[in-house]
Amino acid sequence: MKHKGRELLAGLVVLLGSSVLSAAEFRLSGLEDPLAANVRAMLTIDDALEKETLPRPGRLNYLHRQSEAEIRQALQPFGYYNPELNLELSVTGPEESWFAAYEVNPGPRTVIGKLHLALDGVGQDDEELQRVLAESALKEGAPFLHQDYSALKSQLQSRASERGYYDADFTTSSVQVFPETNLAEIELVYYTGNRVSIGDIRFDEAPVSEKLLRRYLPFESGDPVDTAQLVTLQRNLIDSNYFGDVEVRPLLDQREGGMVPIHIGLGPRKQTLYSGGAGYGTDTGARIQLGMNRRWLNTRGHSLDTRLRMSQIKQEFYTTYLIPGSNPVTDRFALTLRLEDEDSDTIDARTVGIGGSWQKQFANWERVLGLEWQQEEWIFEGEQRDSTLLLPSARFSRTMADNLLNTSKGYSLEFGVQAASEALLSDTDLIQFDMRTKRVDSFAERWRLLTRAELGITLVDAVDDLPASLRFYAGGDSSVRGYDYQSLGPEGKDGDVIGGRYLAAASVEVDYLVKDKWRVAAFFDAGNAFDDKDVDLKTGAGVGARWLSPIGPIRLDLAVPLEDSGVRLHFTLGPDL
C-alpha cells in the first residue's frame, strides 16, 4: 500500500507540474509609450502569457522573478534608473486563471551632470565636425538618453568618414551613471587623425573627351576628400545626359602617403533617343510630337535636339545645337533654327527664326541671353504683311516647389525683355517686357490656393508694326477660362481679334482633395489684351476636376464667361507650376 501511495503522489506532482492553464491575463500600469512599449517588448513573461499554450507553473514563476531586472533594463535607455515596482503574479478564479499585475512608477529621470565632448587631432577645428557636437542633444542638465549618446558617436564617425578622416577613432568614450543622485557623467573625445586628400582622378573610357569630363569636377587633385563633393560629381555627370550609370568611388585600398585615388565609372547612354507622343487640348485640338535627341555628336560633347510638333492650329519645327560652356554644369550655348506656321481663328502667320543663346544657371535662377533673327509673314483682315527683326533678349526664370508633379507649396517666376531697332537690321523699333508668375499654397489638410498673374508691355509706335507672334492675346486654357483660345484682345475693322501691345491677366483657384489622386476645384479668372489705358477686363468662373496622374495633374474645367453667354470646356495636362 505504501508503494502504491508513493506512486499516486508522484503521479499527482507530475500532473500538476505539467498542467496547461487555459486562461491568462497580463496588465501593465503606470507607464505610457514609448516606455510601456519598450517594457512589454523586454518582458518575457508577457510573451509567455499571450501564447495559446501556457508554460508550466514553475516556468511562469521563474519568468516572474526575472521581470524586475527586465523592467529596469528596459527603462534605463530612457534615463530612468530608480523605478518603483509592484509586481504580482497570482492564480485566480475557479478555473485557476493566471493573472499578472505589474505597476511601474519610472521614478525620477537621470540628467546629465558633467559633460565633456571634444575633438582632437588635425580635424579638431573642422567646422562640420564641430557642428555635429554643437547640434547634439547631449547637454548639461538635459535628460540622459542612451540613444542620444549612441547617435552622437555614430554621427561623428559618419561625418568624419565623409570628410576623409579615415583613421579617426574615440580615445575616450565613457558614461557613468550614479543612480543614488540621478546624475550621469559623459566624456567623449574623438581623435580625427590626418585628413586624406584626393590623389589621381581616373575616368573610365567615355564617348566624350576627358578634357570635357574634368570640367564637371567640383574638386581637384590635392583637395581634401569630401563625400558630398563626390556625390555632386556623380549627379552632375548623370545630368549631363551622356551617362546612365555613374559611380564615383575612392580607392581606399590604394591609399598612400595621405592621398587616395578617385575612380569614376561611366556607363554611357544610347547615343540617340527617339521620342513621340500624341495628345489633345481644347486650345490646340489634337496634337502629336516627334523628337530626336543626339546626345553627343563629337568628343567635345556637342549635342543636337530636334522637335516636330503638329496640332490642328499650329505646326512647329525646332532644331537646337548645344555646346557645353566652360562650366558645363551651369552654362551652355545653343544655336537654334525654328519654323512655325499658325492658322487659328485669330492668327494666320508663318515665322522663321535663326539665333543663338547663352544659358546659365546661378543659385536657383536660370538666365538666358539670346539673339535671334526673325522673319515673319502674317495676314490680318485680308491684308498680308511681313517683317524682319533682329531681337536681342534676356530671360530669367525660377521655380521652387516641394514636389513638381504634385505641389503642396511652391512658386514659379519668369520674366524677360527683348528689343529691336531700325538701326540694327530691323523694320521697326520696339521694346517688349513680359512677366508670368504662379504660386501654390496649402491650408488645412486638403485645401490648396493657386494664384496666377501675367503682364505684358510693348513699347512701339503702332500695333500694325508688330508681327502676330509678338502681339498679346488673352483667353484659353491657361489664360481667361470661359473664352476661346486667343479670342480676347483689340479687334480690327471687321471684328477680328488682332492682338494688342499690352496684357494683364490673373487667376484665383481653390481646390480640395476629395480622395487619393482626385481634387475638385473652383476658380475665377480675369484679364484681357489691349492697346491703350482703357482696360476692358473679361472674367470667367467655373468648377473643375483634377486627376493626379503619374505625369502630372490632368485638369477638366467647366467655365462660364461672365460678360458673355455660353459654357466652355477646358482640358489641360501638366504640372501646376
Side-chain angles (χ1 to χ4, degrees):
M1 291 293 292
K2 284 185 177 182
H3 180 69
K4 289 184 179 180
R6 286 196 300 268
E7 287 182 349
L8 179 61
L9 179 61
L12 181 61
V13 169
V14 171
L15 179 61
L16 291 174
S18 59
S19 63
V20 176
L21 299 172
S22 60
E25 181 182 356
F26 177 84
R27 183 180 301 168
L28 176 67
S29 61
L31 296 176
E32 295 182 356
D33 288 340
L35 297 179
N38 202 49
V39 166
R40 297 199 72 141
M42 293 287 292
L43 281 172
T44 50
I45 193 171
D46 186 18
D47 292 335
L49 292 175
E50 287 182 352
K51 293 180 179 179
E52 293 184 4
T53 303
L54 296 179
R56 293 173 299 174
R59 174 65 178 170
L60 287 177
N61 279 296
Y62 169 77
L63 296 179
H64 174 64
R65 290 193 297 273
Q66 304 302 310
S67 294
E68 179 176 347
E70 292 172 344
I71 292 173
R72 292 182 181 277
Q73 184 181 357
L75 293 176
Q76 287 176 4
F78 298 92
Y80 296 99
Y81 284 82
N82 287 309
E84 297 178 4
L85 309 179
N86 183 12
L87 312 181
E88 295 183 2
L89 178 67
S90 58
V91 180
T92 62
E95 297 181 0
E96 296 188 341
S97 298
W98 284 83
F99 177 70
Y102 284 13
E103 183 179 357
V104 180
N105 179 353
R109 200 172 203 176
T110 298
V111 298
I112 300 173
K114 292 183 180 180
L115 177 66
H116 177 63
L117 305 177
L119 299 173
D120 194 12
V122 173
Q124 62 182 351
D125 296 323
D126 189 295
E127 293 182 358
E128 290 297 318
L129 297 182
Q130 289 286 356
R131 184 176 293 111
V132 172
L133 295 183
E135 294 177 354
S136 169
L138 297 179
K139 308 289 182 185
E140 289 188 359
F144 171 56
L145 304 180
H146 286 234
Q147 64 182 16
D148 292 340
Y149 177 73
S150 300
L152 175 58
K153 294 182 67 175
S154 176
Q155 289 166 7
L156 278 174
Q157 291 175 311
S158 175
R159 192 67 57 86
S161 178
E162 290 174 359
R163 296 183 61 76
Y165 299 102
Y166 294 132
D167 298 321
D169 202 358
F170 294 96
T171 55
T172 304
S173 175
S174 68
V175 175
Q176 288 183 290
V177 178
F178 302 94
E180 63 276 8
T181 58
N182 295 304
L183 292 175
E185 295 182 1
I186 301 174
E187 185 175 8
L188 198 64
V189 180
Y190 193 56
Y191 179 74
T192 66
N194 293 322
R195 189 176 184 185
V196 175
S197 298
I198 294 173
D200 293 337
I201 301 172
R202 306 167 186 173
F203 291 90
D204 278 355
E205 185 177 351
V208 296
S209 68
E210 185 172 320
K211 182 179 179 180
L212 171 62
L213 294 176
R214 288 186 175 274
R215 282 156 47 194
Y216 283 90
L217 294 173
F219 52 78
E220 298 178 355
S221 294
D223 289 348
V225 169
D226 189 335
T227 300
Q229 289 190 329
L230 302 184
V231 173
T232 296
L233 174 60
Q234 181 184 41
R235 182 175 62 249
N236 291 345
L237 290 174
I238 290 176
D239 290 345
S240 71
N241 204 32
Y242 304 133
F243 309 105
D245 298 310
V246 177
E247 181 187 31
V248 181
R249 182 167 56 92
L251 301 177
L252 299 180
D253 57 338
Q254 299 181 31
R255 178 167 51 129
E256 184 177 356
M259 307 286 283
V260 61
I262 303 296
H263 174 256
I264 302 168
L266 302 171
R269 295 179 182 267
K270 291 184 178 180
Q271 186 175 10
T272 305
L273 172 66
Y274 298 97
S275 61
Y280 178 84
T282 45
D283 281 352
T284 62
R287 60 177 182 259
I288 64 170
Q289 174 175 295
L290 302 174
M292 183 196 73
N293 185 356
R294 191 79 166 170
R295 292 188 168 110
W296 65 87
L297 296 170
N298 50 44
T299 58
R300 290 171 292 175
H302 296 187
S303 59
L304 183 69
D305 187 46
T306 301
R307 304 284 170 186
L308 175 63
R309 300 187 183 101
M310 295 183 291
S311 70
Q312 291 177 242
I313 65 170
K314 193 173 184 178
Q315 290 73 48
E316 304 169 275
F317 174 81
Y318 294 87
T319 185
T320 304
Y321 188 94
L322 297 166
I323 304 170
S326 58
N327 183 351
V329 176
T330 59
D331 62 290
R332 64 182 181 177
F333 299 93
L335 301 174
T336 303
L337 167 66
R338 67 182 180 96
L339 307 174
E340 297 182 2
D341 187 338
E342 183 169 353
D343 186 6
S344 66
D345 293 339
T346 306
I347 297 176
D348 183 0
R350 284 147 297 284
T351 306
V352 177
I354 300 174
S357 63
W358 176 25
Q359 306 168 17
K360 186 173 180 63
Q361 194 85 22
F362 57 99
N364 295 312
W365 287 90
E366 181 180 71
R367 182 199 68 195
V368 180
L369 302 179
L371 180 66
E372 183 183 59
W373 175 85
Q374 173 183 301
Q375 201 282 329
E376 184 170 335
E377 294 180 353
W378 72 95
I379 299 174
F380 278 139
E381 299 180 310
E383 181 181 352
Q384 180 171 322
R385 302 198 58 177
D386 62 78
S387 73
T388 300
L389 299 174
L390 183 65
L391 292 164
S393 63
R395 298 201 67 81
F396 300 84
S397 61
R398 174 188 177 107
T399 299
M400 303 292 290
D402 55 358
N403 186 317
L404 289 176
L405 289 182
N406 184 14
T407 305
S408 297
K409 185 176 183 61
Y411 70 91
S412 66
L413 174 63
E414 179 183 359
F415 61 91
V417 60
Q418 58 183 344
S421 172
E422 292 183 5
L424 293 174
L425 306 177
S426 298
D427 292 341
T428 188
D429 297 324
L430 69 89
I431 299 176
Q432 187 174 78
F433 170 83
D434 68 276
M435 183 273 294
R436 295 171 179 83
T437 182
K438 297 179 181 179
R439 185 177 179 90
V440 178
D441 292 285
S442 293
F443 58 99
E445 183 178 355
R446 293 173 172 264
W447 293 91
R448 294 192 312 166
L449 175 68
L450 296 86
T451 52
R452 166 172 50 87
E454 189 174 3
L455 177 68
I457 300 172
T458 307
L459 303 180
V460 65
D461 289 338
V463 71
D464 291 342
D465 297 329
L466 275 177
S469 62
L470 295 184
R471 301 187 187 192
F472 292 118
Y473 306 85
D477 301 339
S478 302
S479 182
V480 183
R481 285 166 285 189
Y483 293 88
D484 290 342
Y485 174 64
Q486 294 186 345
S487 64
L488 299 179
E491 298 178 354
K493 296 177 182 179
D494 59 1
D496 292 337
V497 175
I498 60 174
R501 287 178 286 188
Y502 309 107
L503 171 69
S507 174
V508 177
E509 180 175 313
V510 176
D511 69 22
Y512 178 76
L513 185 68
V514 292
K515 59 182 300 185
D516 188 35
K517 303 295 185 182
W518 285 95
R519 294 181 180 272
V520 293
F523 56 85
F524 176 83
D525 300 341
N528 209 341
F530 48 97
D531 263 337
D532 50 42
K533 296 180 180 180
D534 295 330
V535 182
D536 179 22
L537 290 180
K538 300 293 186 179
T539 56
V543 295
R546 284 90 177 91
W547 176 51
L548 308 180
S549 78
I551 57 175
I554 295 177
R555 307 175 190 83
L556 186 65
D557 291 326
L558 194 64
V560 176
L562 300 184
E563 288 76 23
D564 296 293
S565 60
V567 177
R568 180 170 172 80
L569 191 67
H570 296 272
F571 176 82
T572 56
L573 165 65
D576 293 314
L577 299 177

